[in-house]
Amino acid sequence: MFTGIIEEIGAITAVEASGDGVRVTVRSPKTVSDAAHGDSIAVSGVCLTVVGRGDDWFTADVMRQTLDMSTLAGIDAGRPVNLERATPANGRLGGHIVQGHIDGTGEILEVRPGDQWRVIRIALPDHLAPLVVDKGSVAIDGVSLTVSAASPAPSAGSAAEGGQWFEVSLIPETLVATTLGDRRPGDRVNLETDILARHVQRLLAFAPSATNPNGAASAAQLEGGSR
């Protein structure tokens, strides 16, 4: 489990084929300082497991499903990445609950600079749009951020004009402490929506069921039986 508070910007130093996946080596002086074999480290939002380490680097295996779901597909040596160690149980939840399980990727549509901050608009897949809410939490490349605007829901039977998008506002600290300060229109980023929103969506998918988990009759059944 992570919080989306980036500890350092590392870099991919090597990528080797490993079956249908890859093994990556990441330069990470701070993040690897107390890491052990089997520990979890989020690499630009993707939870990876340490399988080897040195004084300032670690290696991890990335399976095919992860490559298909994230921006780690086609990754090469030299790419900077956001790094965060798993948070301890007694640590501060400085951002929000981040699992490191990417929902998909989004494309940066626009970057609007301000006097001290920067607003980024990101396109996202239609199926993720209901999980992103104005003033809610979202993780972008592993960075915990607050949604500052979101596209309206499409009207019944029609798609949203221009596609679904959301915006985040980046403060100066985020611009210098993460890789988001270098992002430009056309770049793809990893997206992880709020785990609470995903649970609610899953619960609602079962709402039409005839009984609740305790076996009690549904409201519709009770209403029908009272007539």
Side-chain angles (χ1 to χ4, degrees), residues 27-128:
R27 181 179 59 79
S28 52
K30 179 178 181 180
T31 311
V32 81
S33 62
D34 62 351
H37 184 90
D39 282 356
S40 296
I41 295 177
V43 178
S44 287
V46 181
C47 179
L48 297 180
T49 300
V50 175
V51 296
R53 58 152 295 181
D55 291 337
D56 64 352
W57 57 267
F58 72 92
T59 58
D61 292 320
V62 187
M63 63 182 178
R64 170 51 53 188
Q65 182 183 21
T66 303
L67 294 175
D68 291 341
M69 291 286 293
S70 74
T71 61
L72 294 184
I75 199 167
D76 51 18
R79 183 189 297 188
V81 288
N82 295 320
L83 299 175
E84 181 191 358
R85 289 170 287 190
T87 188
N90 63 345
R92 294 181 182 275
L93 186 59
H96 71 283
I97 297 174
V98 178
Q99 293 183 299
H101 301 161
I102 302 303
D103 293 309
T105 63
E107 179 182 345
I108 294 181
L109 299 175
E110 181 183 3
V111 178
R112 300 197 305 273
D115 292 337
Q116 292 184 311
W117 56 83
R118 197 172 299 170
V119 177
I120 296 180
R121 177 173 290 194
I122 301 172
L124 77 166
D126 289 348
H127 71 280
L128 295 182

Side-chain angles (χ1 to χ4, degrees), residues 157-214:
S158 65
E161 184 177 353
Q164 292 291 333
W165 54 264
F166 70 95
E167 293 182 348
V168 292
S169 300
L170 309 182
I171 62 174
E173 175 65 15
T174 303
L175 294 173
V176 300
T178 77
T179 60
L180 296 183
D182 294 326
R183 291 290 176 257
R184 299 292 181 266
D187 288 349
R188 299 203 68 80
V189 291
N190 292 321
L191 301 178
E192 181 183 335
T193 57
D194 189 351
I195 180 60
L196 298 179
R198 298 203 299 274
H199 274 299
V200 170
Q201 184 184 61
R202 179 65 171 170
L203 287 169
L204 290 176
F206 286 88
S209 61
T211 59
N212 66 27
N214 296 320

Side-chain angles (χ1 to χ4, degrees), residues 142-165:
V143 183
S144 174
L145 294 167
T146 299
V147 177
S148 55
S151 55
S155 57
S158 65
E161 184 177 353
Q164 292 291 333
W165 54 264

